[in-house]
Every structure is written in structure tokens, then in C-alpha cells.
Amino acid sequence: MNPDILHQLADLRKAWEGRHLRRVFAEDPQRAERYQLEAAGWWLDYSKNLIDDPILDRLFELLKSSDFDGWRNKMRGGEAINHTENRPVLHVALRNRGTEPICVAGKDVMPDVHHVLNAMEHFANGVRYGSLKGATGKRIRSIVNIGIGGSDLGPLMVTEALKAYSDRNLRCHFVSNVDGTHLAETLKQIDLEETLFLIVSKTFTTIETMTNARSARDQIVAAMGNEAVGHHFAAISTNLKAVAEFGIEPDRVFGFWDWVGGRYSLTSAVGLSIMLMIGPKHFGDLLDGFYAMDRHFFEAPLQKNMPAILAILGFWYVHFWQAQSYAILPYDQYLHRFPAYFQQADMESNGKSVDRNGNRVTYPTGPILWGEPGTNGQHAFYQLLHQGTVLVPADFIGFAQSLNPSGTHHRQLMANFVAQMEALAFGKTEEQLIAEGCESRLISYRTFEGNRPSNALIAEKLTPHSLGALIALYEHKIFVQSMLWNINAFDQWGVELGKKCATQIERALAGEEIGTHDASTHQLINRLKAYF
Ligand code: F6P
């Protein structure tokens, strides 16, 4: 990060001390109009942030000096920007709806992308229209997606978000946890003869997924014999060899590529459960939405670039306001898994403490991301957002129209959406409380400081297109922040150590030598060992 610009920003932060959004808005009648923009069907109002023109100007300059243009081009050009794994990062190729080629090592990957999309479509139509049946001739009614992390959260979030567009004759279940309860409880809800298991794993080695997949296969074999496996399983993976060893027929294997990161993979074959539920046409609309935001990200100038604006605002709070967390608050029940999905996308990407040169960073990086749908959150944790001692910047996401005929409900929902942001920003003063006749002993309790920042994101309606654009917006925001922090957003070494240790400890629990551990770990293993 350019030290001169950081110093200038630090001075501007100091100068902000004591300023309040109440005054800032009063002094600048054009502010709301100036700090807003539209892209790919989404409207962003970012006027309720603790910023002004000089701050924005310096933040844009900082991003420019972090080579915003260069990184965008490197991504689109297929360079190995995931340098620790020596891989390009090309999730944008999965939803490239234009005719331009996207190349990896000089080879256009688009024909392969289209080939897999066509195979998915053929398969999805077969299941949806009943030509692909279970081993006993029954139609498929239940889809069980077995995967974890990026092979679970994306499809789960989107199938929930687009439920209104789904085939209600099909039900989709997600099994991720290695805790046998997850699979067992799912099996209680389904008829195996009518079930299709999708084994989703980029590596096809992830222990949780493989354990669940083997148990599911055992169930199918026990119920209908070995030959049934071919009718009741499909696989999505980059590891075609391991899939073949598992016993899934080649025409039921949908590949993808090592240039697709797990947490950025839902528009690859990893999204097969989505296509099965909403159909190929709506899946295409979802890709169109992603593509619209991708184009905006690659083509819009910095000052009018929505992912870049969200990124610099988030950076401003982490770096200069010591914000350690960030809330995503969707005002739409269909988006109830949206914060959980971006918790992985953001925290697995930018939860890093070593920069691209291998040096320990000297500044904070990605915040803790969390959230729940409004208005439920209002009756849970908003107390802290309004009157707690920590600053939590928040994004409020809403839609002008509801998908369900519920005028009153939607009006109330959106009134809350607007009211919460107003209250966070402007609060309630002592004078206002006195004028309202508030008991004097309660004044300090009922005062709201305000000055708490938020963004409003609004689209007309929740559709596959608007959802695709929204997901792409946050994906690119994550990438832009990694440019500022000079970190690789696309590896995840931080999850490796725990996996290795667990494998070793499992052997000890099964009766092998305990091995060398600290006294506490040794004691834990000994205590549990007796039960296995
Ligand atoms: O949690 C680590 C991780 O590698 C994620 O990045 C990934 O989404 C998840 O595990 C699942 O991996 P796979 O798709 O290879 O089973």
C-alpha cells in the first residue's frame, strides 16, 4: 500500500473525529444524490458512510496505486494470480455469455465450459422430465447434494434464494457435516428409490464428503443392490480418476477445472443441484446476471465501479476505524443463507496474514463477516449495532417488489429496511428525547449516538438475474480488497493443518498409538478413546 496515501488517509480520519452524519448531510444537500450508482440492475446508496470527497478521492488513489487495472486484466487474461498454487482464477469464464475467448496458457477454455453446461442441461432435463429414473423405475423426487464448503454453501444458498423459481415436485437436501446425524436425518425424509445423490467435491478427497458419500452408497446398495449405484449417483469434480474409482458412470460425471476455486464455483457443474431445481432456462438467467456484473466490474471506471466502491469502504473501516466485523443483512427471507455463503467466500479468501511476497502483513486484513435476514436480526443483535461499543459497518440488501402477494408484509419489511439505516446513521439526541417528554432518568439509556455506517443495495425483484449480479458484486469486492491488502485471495492454506491433525487423531481414537501431543490433546484423546 502506498505509504504517502495511507498517511493522507490517516490525517483525514483524524479530521473526521467529532463529525457526525447529521451535520454532514445538513451541510451537503447533494450528498445522497452524489453517493449512489447503478450497475447490473442493482442500485447502491453509499451516502450513509463516514466519508467525504477528499477521503473517497484518496481511497480511489490508493486502489489505483495497488494496480486495480493491472489485477483486473491479469484475472481476465488467465494469469496465475493464485500464485501459491500456480493457478489462474477464472470463475468469470464460467458465466462468460459473450463471444470473447478466455484463455489459459493460450487455450480458449470456453468450448469446454459450454460442453459441460450442455451436458448438465441434458442431464437436468432428463431428471426433471422423468426420462432418467431410479433403478426401480420410479421418478426422481429428491436430490441430495453431498459436499462441504464451496461444494455446499453456494448451491444451498442459491436453491434457497430461488425457491420461488423451482420445480416443486423436486426437493433438494444438503448433507455437509461429517456428523452422521446430518445424513441420518436426511435419509429419514427421503425414499431412496426416488433419490439422486450428487457427490460434489473439487478434489474428491475431502474426508467429510467422502465419508458421507460412502455411507450413502452403502444405503443404496443395501436397498437396491450394486447395480442401482449407476442410477442414483452423479459426481461433480476435477478429480475424474477418483470419481471413476468410486464407481460413478462417466456419463454422470460433470467436470470442472483447477482454475475454479471452491468458494467461487457455483456457476460450474457444482451448481448442478441449482439447475435441477430451477431448470436450465433460469440457470441461464442466473449466469446472465453474473455476466452483467462481471462486465461492469471489468469495464466501469474506478470511480463508478460498484465492487470497487464497496471494497474501499470496507477497507476504510477495517484500516482506519478498527472495525473487526462486517454485517450483511438481507431483507428477504429467500436470502437467509446469503450471509453464511459470503462468510466462507470472504473469510476464506481474505483471512490472511502473509502478503503476496511471503511477508507478514503489518495491517489488519479481512473482517469477520456475519449476518441474518432482517427483520429477525432486529430482534436479536441490532441492539449492539445501535448502542454497542463496537463499530459494525453493514450492508442492507432489499427488493422493491416481493415475490409473494403480500403487500402489507412487504411494505412493513421495507419500512424496517429504510428505518434501520436511518436510525443507525442519525440516531436520537437528548434534545429530541426531552422534546418527546422522555423521563430524565432514562435519557442516557434511550439516546442513540448514530453515526453508524451502512450501505443500501436495492434491486427491483429477486430473480435469477438479480441474484447472479449480487453474488458477482460481492465476489469482485473480495478480489478488490485483496489488491489493497496485497494478499492472495484464492488459496486457503489455513484449513490444511486441522485436516492433517484430525486424520492422525482419528487413527489414535481407533486404537493406534496416540503419538506425540501436548498434555491437553493427549488427555482429550484418552478420554474419548474408550468410546470407539
Ligand atoms: O475448507 C477448505 C476447502 O478446500 C474449501 O475451499 C472447499 O470449498 C472445501 O474445502 C471443499 O473442498 P472439495 O470441493 O474439494 O471437497
Side-chain angles (χ1 to χ4, degrees), residues 146-153 200-210 236-238 256 261-265 270 344 348 491-492 495-496 499:
I146 296 183
I148 197 164
S151 298
D152 166 71
L153 288 162
V200 188
S201 176
K202 181 174 167 181
T203 53
F204 228 71
T205 57
T206 303
I207 288 177
E208 292 87 340
T209 300
M210 297 324 297
I236 291 98
S237 186
T238 57
F256 61 113
R263 52 192 175 275
Y264 298 95
S265 66
V270 169
Q344 185 205 10
E348 202 166 80
D491 60 11
Q492 57 286 317
V495 293
E496 293 301 318
K499 285 190 199 171

Side-chain angles (χ1 to χ4, degrees), residues 307-329:
I309 290 172
L310 284 187
I312 56 169
L313 291 171
F315 168 84
W316 171 238
Y317 297 118
V318 168
H319 203 96
F320 293 99
W321 291 81
Q322 292 76 47
Q324 294 197 349
S325 87
Y326 197 99
I328 294 196
L329 307 168

Side-chain angles (χ1 to χ4, degrees), residues 448-507:
F448 286 66
E449 278 170 18
N451 220 21
R452 300 184 182 220
S454 64
N455 289 307
L457 274 162
I458 300 182
E460 195 179 326
K461 209 161 132 180
L462 175 56
T463 61
H465 190 283
S466 62
L467 180 68
L470 183 69
I471 300 170
L473 168 64
Y474 279 97
E475 285 181 348
H476 295 311
K477 172 197 167 183
I478 293 167
F479 178 38
V480 176
Q481 291 194 323
S482 77
M483 299 173 195
L484 288 164
W485 288 318
N486 191 28
I487 53 179
N488 179 1
F490 304 110
D491 60 11
Q492 57 286 317
W493 301 106
V495 293
E496 293 301 318
L497 178 61
K499 285 190 199 171
K500 269 222 174 78
C501 297
T503 310
Q504 220 180 36
I505 290 172
E506 198 199 334
R507 283 204 292 268

Side-chain angles (χ1 to χ4, degrees), residues 20-29 31 426:
H20 198 289
L21 286 171
R22 279 194 286 266
R23 213 178 76 212
V24 173
F25 267 86
E27 285 170 3
D28 179 1
R31 181 180 172 93
F426 303 108

Side-chain angles (χ1 to χ4, degrees), residues 361-375:
V361 297
T362 51
Y363 40 82
T365 59
I368 296 161
L369 199 129
W370 58 283
E372 282 288 328
T375 58

